[in-house]
Amino acid sequence: MALEKIVFKGIDIPGRTEISVYEDGGGYAQWKRVLSEKIEPNELIETVKASGLRGRGGAGFPTGLKWSFVPADSPKPKYMLCNADESEPGTFKDREILEKDPHQLLEGVLLGSYAIGANTAYIYLRGEFVKGWKMVERAIAEAREAGYIGKNVLGSGFDIEVWTHRGAGAYICGEETAMINSLEGKRGEPRLKPPFPAVEGFYKCPTIVNNVETLAAVPKIVENGPEWYGQWGTEKSKGTKLWSVCGHVARPGVYEVPLGYPAQKFFEEDLGGCWNGNKLKAVIPGGSSVFAMTPDEFFACNLDYESIAEHGSMLGSGGMIIFDETACLVEASTVIAHFYAHESCGQCTPCREGCGWVLRMFRDIEAGQPQPGAKDVLLDVMDQIFGATICPLGDSIVMPIKSMMEKFPEEFEYYIREGKSMVTGKTRLAQLAQPDKPENWRRGEPFDYPREQDYKTSFKGLAHDLSRGPEPLFTKFEDE
Amino acid sequence: MPTVTIDGKQVEVPDGLTILWAARKAGVNIPTYCYYPWFAPQGNCRICLVEVEGVGKLQIGCQTPVRDGMVVHTNNERVFKARRGVMEFLLLHHPLDCPICDQAGECDLQDYGYKYGFPVGRNRHLRRTFPKTDYGEKISKEMNRCIHCRRCIRLAEDYMGVHHIGMLNRGDHSEIGSYIEAAIPSGWAGNVIDICPVGALTDKKMRFSARVWDLEHVPARLKESAMKDPVKCRYGSEAMLGLYRGKIYRVTARMDEHRVMKSMICDEARFEHYDLDDWIIEEDADITTPVESGPRPARELEEMARKELEEEGKLNGGRVESPPPSEISSAPGTGMDLGRQTE
């Protein structure tokens, strides 16, 4: 089966951002066909469902199934939201589509809106994507002029308006409910689920949030049918996926390959291996918020949702970060921790307090202060964050750092013990270590963490005693 | 009626009830901070995590509705470790100044800190601190003690109808405050003191003058003759007096045993009447039945009172005789230090 591009098919055609060039390549033909033949929205949903297209933003939820959750008989207006708030470190696939092929995305947005019966669509762009935003704005203006957007589109009786909204620089607004809050004008903070946005989302109306890459694939699926799309990929992960590859690699960039493509082949033939012929050390396959993989795990897997999960990581958003042997993973962990501590929204406790704490501990390690016990405390703190938060941002700091600490323990132990990197032999933040300034360390105590046996012991029988049974409604304190 | 098993006890509860209330019906307490029966659950403190059999992640008790046949554990090692973790995070930057804190003795953080907290601290860094800013002249705000439960924000928005307090900044330096440190422009602003589960918002009048365990709490109601602003006080004076040696040290709203306010009291009742002659003692008031839903918002209470007072002819010419809010609570803040934002 020939390697065919689906999402990136027209991306290299010169002038593709203009509507005339896009229409010459068969653009908006599906939108016209759907409207002129008055295809039932349900039929469109069934087509996407049968194609096996899954959400490309990270979670991999089947797109057609998501669309079918919108209650058709709801009296409320429905909304289509396109999530172009691509802020994950290592992920830059959507930017290419926004800047180089905005019309294909727009057609996907229109088809998706038609399928779920939405008359208003928003494209929520990352604030830093100035060029992408200009391109999308221009595409919308051109499409409006051509009569593809507006009231009574092409005489079909269907109204559709598309608006763009630029974020203000918060990573958390890429989470769908936080994005809805941000669009409504509130603080960008995730909501509790359920209710899911498909039932109660934007202004408590049924809302579908889809990634750019997902929507950009929709026109091709509608054009060629689900069987055509299903010929690529594996049984459960169909179609192609964009991989944005960065790090210590010979040929970084955005690649479109079918799902199920062997990782070793991808790495060695398409990416050309690590740069300067160095040895591969670790890979984070799905943007910075998934588990890191060792080379053995990575080469054993195929690039699809199931196979990567089987080998201990997640496909995520497809932002592959490559570390070669010259990379110090302790320093990489600090960078990752800094990102999540900076981007934590501050809503729920474990993420708000935990991410900052993890970062401060890593900064101490990098400052070269010997601190026995730091590794245990770090792992323990990350366990307390994992799974206890409202949205997956709390999990996102834990997954890459904890997996690196577990898979490359000697590097972390060396840095904590020796105060310098095992790889580079240097102390990165040596200027932060000021042992002569006791106010930097609490009361100038010797820098150590309590061991587990210190806090396992019961404190006057009040706490830590599960055998006392569940907590009674009102504790009566007796005089002792 | 679904039947759920909570820590081995089977209870039959009405449909749609949350795990928290089902557990309370079974006689099991689930600790809460951000949950308050007056508001929709927000789920941001994460102390009420419980284990539900068959569900991978721990679930929050305050929001998860019960299903028939649900088996819930609130007292196993996994739940305990999660709560201990949340307690550790909440106490990470807490100043632990209980000896000088007015909330000590009725503080949720103290109670659950003893039950679930670490006996040793593992934080080896300087604590995050905020400059002290107050809400006007009556309400002291100590942001260092705050646990970000946001009850005060929701109270102001949902019940006082003012949008003047909110979250500033992001992540672990996020802060609850009013922009440029203004007071809360409402005649009911003092209720944020009662709704605060910790010592972040306290009564400036009572500050450092008494300890709550010394006070004798007596339900009382303001005499009509003593009211300066009957529009607010008619439905806003069902209060609880904190007495010590026959002297009023503080006035709070009446609370049930979960320390949930029965109703709001207005700022006049809270801050202006420290003379026992102004009050009618109501010894038989019900202060044990748990509160399950919120009262009417302040605006509705005021409208009701105004209508009744008009009918009784107690308002002058139908005009509201209400002192301007600045006299009661919205005196300007302790200083508009605009340079603080760029610190």
Side-chain angles (χ1 to χ4, degrees):
Chain A
M1 192 179 346
L3 204 66
E4 192 171 324
K5 287 178 179 170
I6 296 174
V7 179
F8 266 12
K9 188 160 187 164
I11 204 121
D12 293 329
I13 298 171
R16 177 78 170 177
T17 54
E18 280 164 34
I19 196 164
S20 53
V21 179
Y22 182 65
E23 278 177 331
D24 289 346
Y28 290 114
Q30 298 317 307
W31 180 229
K32 282 188 243 174
R33 183 176 71 90
V34 164
L35 288 180
S36 60
E37 293 178 17
K38 296 226 183 306
I39 292 176
E40 283 286 305
N42 254 345
E43 205 177 306
L44 220 53
I45 296 179
E46 286 306 318
T47 308
V48 175
K49 214 187 252 184
S51 75
L53 176 67
R54 292 170 68 169
R56 302 289 193 233
F61 194 79
T63 307
L65 193 60
K66 198 189 220 179
W67 289 3
S68 66
F69 288 155
V70 175
D73 51 352
S74 168
K76 294 175 179 172
K78 304 176 186 78
Y79 292 97
M80 181 83 197
L81 265 55
C82 172
N83 187 346
D85 190 69
E86 181 183 50
S87 320
E88 179 111 348
T91 310
F92 42 89
K93 61 186 175 64
D94 294 346
R95 191 181 65 190
E96 298 295 307
I97 299 171
L98 293 169
E99 289 179 2
K100 295 181 179 163
D101 205 353
H103 281 290
Q104 188 171 331
L105 166 67
L106 197 55
E107 193 177 353
V109 171
L110 295 174
L111 289 168
S113 307
Y114 182 82
I116 64 165
N119 299 108
T120 313
Y122 287 91
I123 301 178
Y124 189 101
L125 286 123
R126 179 181 175 185
E128 288 89 336
F129 284 175
V130 180
K131 188 180 172 196
W133 170 66
K134 283 182 180 163
M135 289 298 172
V136 173
E137 277 283 303
R138 203 178 74 172
I140 291 173
E142 283 176 342
R144 190 172 284 141
E145 206 167 292
Y148 299 137
I149 299 176
K151 291 237 179 282
N152 191 10
V153 183
L154 307 173
S156 64
F158 183 72
D159 304 337
I160 176 77
E161 264 315 323
V162 184
W163 308 102
T164 59
H165 182 93
R166 290 174 69 203
Y171 169 68
I172 190 64
C173 291
E175 205 273 345
E176 55 180 3
T177 51
M179 200 179 97
I180 290 168
N181 269 349
S182 172
L183 261 183
E184 287 182 10
K186 300 176 183 156
R187 262 174 86 88
E189 282 173 350
R191 296 177 182 174
L192 289 176
K193 291 185 214 170
F196 287 93
V199 184
E200 228 176 65
F202 189 51
Y203 290 126
K204 295 209 167 180
C205 299
T207 307
I208 289 294
V209 184
N210 277 137
N211 183 256
V212 169
E213 190 189 341
T214 319
L215 287 173
V218 169
K220 300 284 170 190
I221 294 170
V222 177
E223 183 182 351
N224 299 308
E227 293 79 24
W228 171 85
Y229 190 74
Q231 62 178 306
W232 292 282
T234 63
E235 197 191 330
K236 282 184 175 167
S237 316
K238 285 185 174 146
T240 61
K241 174 90 189 78
L242 297 182
W243 291 90
S244 56
V245 188
C246 64
H248 301 144
V249 65
R251 290 197 288 273
V254 186
Y255 294 80
E256 183 170 14
V257 293
L259 284 158
Y261 198 73
Q264 188 160 14
K265 189 175 168 213
F266 182 61
F267 181 72
E268 282 166 4
E269 291 178 15
D270 296 78
L271 304 181
C274 284
W275 64 356
N276 304 335
N278 286 350
K279 237 179 87 196
L280 181 67
K281 188 193 221 168
V283 178
I284 301 183
S288 69
S289 57
V290 302
F291 298 101
M293 296 169 104
T294 60
D296 291 342
E297 286 170 340
F298 181 62
F299 290 148
C301 76
N302 295 328
L303 298 177
D304 61 68
Y305 292 95
E306 286 74 31
S307 177
I308 293 184
E310 221 169 84
H311 291 89
S313 187
M314 279 150 65
L315 190 138
S317 60
M320 198 181 278
I321 306 172
I322 312 274
F323 298 98
D324 75 354
E325 57 194 339
T326 64
C328 175
L329 295 184
V330 183
E331 291 171 5
S333 300
T334 316
V335 175
I336 292 172
H338 185 189
F339 176 77
Y340 288 104
H342 182 67
E343 294 295 346
S344 172
C345 72
Q347 191 182 13
C348 58
T349 310
C351 172
R352 179 183 68 231
E353 309 289 354
C355 293
W357 193 9
V358 169
L359 171 65
R360 285 191 295 278
M361 286 194 328
F362 267 111
R363 284 241 172 97
D364 279 355
I365 293 171
E366 287 211 332
Q369 290 277 323
Q371 37 190 313
K375 192 176 164 231
D376 293 341
V377 177
L378 258 178
L379 286 173
D380 212 38
V381 169
M382 287 198 278
D383 278 344
Q384 289 173 9
I385 302 173
F386 192 76
T389 50
I390 294 176
C391 77
L393 195 142
D395 300 354
S396 302
I397 187 175
V398 178
M399 287 194 276
I401 297 180
K402 196 180 169 199
S403 60
M404 283 200 260
M405 288 177 80
E406 279 167 354
K407 287 170 183 170
F408 304 91
E410 67 285 345
E411 249 185 71
F412 288 82
E413 280 157 14
Y414 185 91
Y415 215 129
I416 293 169
R417 194 175 61 241
E418 306 286 334
K420 60 182 182 185
S421 167
M422 194 169 93
V423 182
T424 62
K426 286 179 194 155
T427 307
R428 196 170 79 101
L429 300 175
Q431 75 278 9
L432 286 189
Q434 294 163 313
D436 52 326
K437 274 194 183 170
E439 68 266 25
N440 279 359
W441 314 109
R442 210 169 69 171
R443 293 197 298 275
E445 288 168 357
F447 203 91
D448 197 5
Y449 289 101
R451 301 289 187 277
E452 199 176 345
Q453 61 264 26
D454 293 341
Y455 53 83
K456 259 206 165 157
T457 47
S458 161
F459 180 69
K460 225 184 158 189
L462 272 171
H464 308 191
D465 195 357
L466 295 175
S467 63
R468 287 162 70 102
E471 194 192 322
L473 265 185
F474 304 107
T475 315
K476 299 272 184 285
F477 289 102
E478 293 143 21
D479 293 331
E480 287 179 22
Chain B
M1 295 258 282
T3 311
V4 289
T5 314
I6 291 163
D7 286 327
K9 282 182 223 165
Q10 279 207 345
V11 277
E12 210 173 302
V13 293
D15 216 7
L17 210 66
T18 55
I19 293 177
L20 177 82
W21 279 99
R24 282 185 181 174
K25 287 216 175 351
V28 174
N29 193 32
I30 293 176
T32 57
Y33 287 124
C34 68
Y35 173 76
Y36 210 69
W38 292 19
F39 314 117
Q42 203 177 19
N44 59 18
C45 71
R46 315 308 282 181
I47 192 81
C48 62
L49 288 170
V50 293
E51 187 177 337
V52 180
E53 269 184 24
V55 182
K57 277 185 170 183
L58 296 178
Q59 301 291 307
I60 48 170
C62 66
Q63 191 243 1
T64 317
V66 292
R67 277 178 284 103
D68 195 27
M70 197 183 235
V71 184
V72 180
H73 299 285
T74 73
N75 188 48
N76 61 16
E77 193 159 350
R78 195 171 161 216
V79 174
F80 174 76
K81 277 198 168 167
R83 286 183 187 167
R84 189 178 68 177
V86 172
M87 271 319 299
E88 190 183 23
F89 289 136
L90 288 175
L91 292 173
L92 198 63
H93 296 292
H94 193 81
L96 295 174
D97 54 353
C98 305
I100 59 150
C101 177
D102 279 342
Q103 189 83 9
E106 50 176 29
C107 173
D108 287 354
L109 201 59
Q110 249 183 346
D111 291 358
Y112 297 133
Y114 272 113
K115 281 182 187 133
Y116 302 109
F118 274 73
V120 292
R122 297 197 293 178
N123 184 15
R124 284 295 176 268
H125 299 91
L126 290 179
R127 292 193 170 98
R128 166 199 64 206
T129 51
F130 296 98
K132 178 150 168 56
T133 55
D134 291 338
Y135 290 144
E137 290 177 340
K138 304 276 168 58
I139 304 165
S140 154
K141 186 181 73 155
E142 187 71 61
M143 194 56 214
N144 297 335
R145 295 179 188 147
C146 178
I147 58 165
H148 300 79
C149 70
R150 304 190 185 187
R151 282 184 192 177
C152 51
I153 299 176
R154 287 179 283 164
L155 181 77
E157 286 188 353
D158 298 357
Y159 288 92
M160 296 177 206
V162 292
H163 300 266
H164 287 64
I165 46 177
M167 296 295 287
L168 309 171
N169 298 330
R170 190 168 72 180
D172 67 355
H173 41 271
S174 58
E175 171 183 1
I176 287 170
S178 54
Y179 193 59
I180 54 174
E181 299 170 16
I184 309 167
S186 164
W188 303 76
N191 291 294
V192 295
I193 297 167
D194 288 344
I195 212 163
C196 184
V198 297
L201 297 169
T202 47
D203 189 341
K204 270 198 175 177
K205 286 237 168 169
M206 135 103 177
R207 233 170 163 228
F208 306 140
S209 62
R211 309 272 16 187
V212 294
W213 54 84
D214 290 335
L215 299 179
E216 182 196 351
H217 287 105
V218 185
R221 168 191 289 280
L222 204 56
K223 279 182 191 157
E224 209 162 316
S225 56
M227 292 176 188
K228 287 182 218 159
D229 182 6
V231 173
K232 290 192 180 68
C233 288
R234 170 157 281 219
Y235 289 105
S237 69
E238 283 187 1
M240 183 89 96
L241 305 180
L243 298 176
Y244 182 57
R245 293 182 181 168
K247 207 175 146 218
I248 300 177
Y249 272 77
R250 70 162 181 188
V251 182
T252 60
R254 290 180 197 168
M255 309 215 190
D256 70 357
E257 285 174 300
H258 294 285
R259 282 209 283 273
V260 177
M261 287 150 70
K262 290 256 170 196
S263 62
M264 296 200 288
I265 64 168
C266 66
D267 283 2
E268 191 198 323
R270 185 183 300 270
F271 297 123
E272 314 266 314
H273 296 280
Y274 278 71
D275 189 350
L276 257 180
D277 295 342
D278 289 352
W279 297 90
I280 308 164
I281 308 292
E282 294 184 334
E283 287 287 0
D284 54 344
D286 171 27
I287 50 165
T288 46
T289 318
V291 179
E292 295 193 21
S293 60
R296 286 160 186 270
R299 222 190 71 224
E300 281 182 29
L301 293 178
E302 285 177 26
E303 269 169 21
M304 265 163 55
R306 188 174 295 141
K307 205 173 275 174
E308 285 177 20
L309 287 165
E310 264 172 25
E311 281 167 13
E312 292 166 24
K314 285 176 186 165
L315 281 181
N316 287 348
R319 294 283 297 271
V320 189
E321 205 175 71
S322 168
S326 63
E327 279 179 29
I328 294 202
S329 78
S330 42
T334 48
M336 289 200 227
D337 187 4
L338 289 166
R340 193 173 62 83
Q341 290 294 327
T342 53
E343 216 167 67

